[in-house]
Amino acid sequence: MATLQFVDASAARDGQGAAGDEFRPSDAEALDAYSTVVIAVARELSPSVASLRVARQFRGRTASGAGSAVVITPDGFLLTSAHVVEGARAGTATFVDGSDLRFQVVGADALSDLAVLRVADGTPPAARLGDASRLQVGQLVVAIGNPNGYAGSVTAGVVSALGRSLPVGRPGGRQRIVENVVQTDAALNPGNSGGAVADGRGAVVGIATAVAGVGLGLAVPVDDATRRIVAALMRDGRVRRAYLGLVGGTRPLPPRVAGRLGRTRGIEVIEVVPGSPADLAGLRPEDLLVELDGLALGGVDDLQRLMTDERIGRRAQATVVRAGDIRNVTVVPRELDGDRPSPSP
């Protein structure tokens, strides 16, 4: 059974512990360094994180809600989680300096759980956006938000895992997988959603989105894909995505096909939506989709990444395996209707 050891202060000053163990100044220095980093991040970033109050309209009823948001531009744009402002058009953003600013919802994208807000009056300085693709497991992160109504709360932890997947979207409606979600043990609670998860330099590398359990918080990564979504929301108020209209799942390729393609997995077509681009192209259940315009498809997430607005209305060549034969079909993706019930592109 483990026992506690108490170190005599005078002995510690002499460089020896009570049990004769050598005292290591680096232990205290490491603690001080950790504290210094968290304090510096909190001091820099806290003014840029707002506590949100929103009034949502559902079926003729008004319900209040709360969350967090991060200032991302000097001219008043804020980034938050889509579910925080779902059903709302406006609300109030409160900052740590005590200022209350009215905001309007510029655009929200349920399929990435991101939303952009804007305030008319001046905001505190914008936070610096980082790059979640450079994070490493074990790296220090600091979360700042509004958990349970306690504005400006700061917690710290580490990156517990990278590359997690998070299903998002409206219940009973369109679903999508957010990829490369950041998992952290920094304490996140209801109200943290939309708040900042920052690295040790104070750059925002994630937007808190979900609490999956004690010590298990998830954040939408700030990366190239996020920046494109935010830019589209700021410009158009929505995100356009291409749509094929199929339900699929990852499946191993037959050995002969795997040998020819040099890959082991593809997407099995489980269901084709009638009248969809996939249906019009002649795709059918049990087809194995392995390429789109020469780009390898090893799973549904690979196909999702390719369903960008640039592909809407443009002919694409899909390579499929049917009854052991490899063939090409032409498909023309159309724009996704966000309310269309289907879990795949």
Side-chain angles (χ1 to χ4, degrees), residues 128-295:
R128 293 182 292 114
L129 298 183
D131 184 359
S133 67
R134 298 182 179 181
L135 289 175
Q136 300 183 54
V137 173
Q139 183 174 337
L140 170 68
V141 287
V142 179
I144 303 178
N146 175 43
N148 297 313
Y150 293 104
S153 294
V154 178
T155 59
V158 298
V159 175
S160 303
L162 294 167
R164 299 301 195 207
S165 297
L166 177 68
V168 296
R170 298 182 180 91
R174 183 71 184 180
Q175 298 284 304
R176 194 171 190 270
I177 301 297
V178 177
E179 301 173 73
N180 299 319
V181 168
V182 179
Q183 179 186 330
T184 177
D185 66 350
L188 300 179
N189 292 285
N192 267 112
S193 291
V197 175
D199 63 19
R201 295 181 296 275
V204 179
V205 292
I207 300 297
T209 187
V211 181
V214 176
L216 206 168
L218 303 175
V220 174
V222 173
D223 53 20
D224 288 341
T226 304
R227 292 172 187 269
R228 289 194 295 270
I229 290 170
V230 171
L233 291 173
M234 292 171 64
R235 182 183 64 246
D236 304 322
R238 65 190 183 102
V239 178
R240 301 177 70 223
R241 291 185 176 88
Y243 168 74
L244 288 182
L246 58 86
V247 179
T250 303
R251 176 183 160 184
L253 297 177
R256 183 173 64 85
V257 175
R260 289 179 58 185
L261 297 176
R263 298 193 299 278
T264 59
R265 295 184 177 275
I267 301 172
E268 180 183 14
V269 178
I270 299 172
E271 179 183 346
V272 176
V273 177
S276 68
D279 184 31
L280 297 176
L283 292 175
R284 62 180 71 162
E286 298 185 6
D287 282 349
L288 291 174
L289 188 59
V290 294
E291 289 183 3
L292 188 71
D293 283 341
L295 300 172

Side-chain angles (χ1 to χ4, degrees), residues 6-344:
F6 294 89
V7 178
D8 180 74
S10 60
R13 284 194 297 270
D14 293 334
Q16 296 293 320
D21 296 331
E22 182 179 354
F23 176 72
R24 296 177 298 176
S26 61
D27 290 344
E29 291 170 0
L31 178 61
D32 288 344
Y34 177 89
S35 300
T36 299
V37 170
V38 176
I39 291 169
V41 172
R43 185 173 295 158
E44 175 184 352
L45 192 55
S46 290
S48 303
V49 179
S51 168
L52 301 183
R53 298 192 305 276
V54 299
R56 304 189 183 97
Q57 299 292 330
F58 288 108
R59 298 177 180 177
R61 297 182 179 181
T62 301
S64 60
S68 307
V70 184
V71 180
I72 57 171
T73 70
D75 55 346
F77 283 100
L78 285 74
L79 182 61
T80 186
S81 298
H83 72 266
V84 169
V85 294
E86 184 179 5
R89 295 183 179 179
T92 303
T94 301
F95 294 89
V96 293
D97 63 1
S99 59
D100 287 334
L101 303 177
R102 290 289 295 173
F103 69 79
Q104 301 291 324
V105 178
V106 176
D109 178 45
L111 298 185
S112 64
D113 198 25
L114 293 173
V116 169
L117 320 174
R118 192 171 193 182
V119 299
D121 301 319
T123 59
R128 293 182 292 114
L129 298 183
D131 184 359
S133 67
R134 298 182 179 181
L135 289 175
Q136 300 183 54
V137 173
Q139 183 174 337
L140 170 68
V141 287
V142 179
I144 303 178
N146 175 43
N148 297 313
Y150 293 104
S153 294
V154 178
T155 59
V158 298
V159 175
S160 303
L162 294 167
R164 299 301 195 207
S165 297
L166 177 68
V168 296
R170 298 182 180 91
R174 183 71 184 180
Q175 298 284 304
R176 194 171 190 270
I177 301 297
V178 177
E179 301 173 73
N180 299 319
V181 168
V182 179
Q183 179 186 330
T184 177
D185 66 350
L188 300 179
N189 292 285
N192 267 112
S193 291
V197 175
D199 63 19
R201 295 181 296 275
V204 179
V205 292
I207 300 297
T209 187
V211 181
V214 176
L216 206 168
L218 303 175
V220 174
V222 173
D223 53 20
D224 288 341
T226 304
R227 292 172 187 269
R228 289 194 295 270
I229 290 170
V230 171
L233 291 173
M234 292 171 64
R235 182 183 64 246
D236 304 322
R238 65 190 183 102
V239 178
R240 301 177 70 223
R241 291 185 176 88
Y243 168 74
L244 288 182
L246 58 86
V247 179
T250 303
R251 176 183 160 184
L253 297 177
R256 183 173 64 85
V257 175
R260 289 179 58 185
L261 297 176
R263 298 193 299 278
T264 59
R265 295 184 177 275
I267 301 172
E268 180 183 14
V269 178
I270 299 172
E271 179 183 346
V272 176
V273 177
S276 68
D279 184 31
L280 297 176
L283 292 175
R284 62 180 71 162
E286 298 185 6
D287 282 349
L288 291 174
L289 188 59
V290 294
E291 289 183 3
L292 188 71
D293 283 341
L295 300 172
L297 300 174
V300 174
D301 55 343
D302 293 330
L303 185 56
Q304 284 186 344
R305 275 194 293 269
L306 297 178
M307 292 294 98
T308 58
D309 59 348
E310 293 88 352
R311 292 189 180 275
I312 297 173
R314 297 180 57 182
R315 293 163 62 92
Q317 181 173 278
T319 303
V320 300
V321 179
R322 180 180 297 167
D325 295 327
I326 299 175
R327 62 185 67 191
N328 294 319
V329 298
T330 299
V331 60
V332 183
R334 61 172 178 246
E335 184 173 355
L336 170 67
D337 174 359
D339 293 324
R340 191 190 308 275
S342 173
S344 298

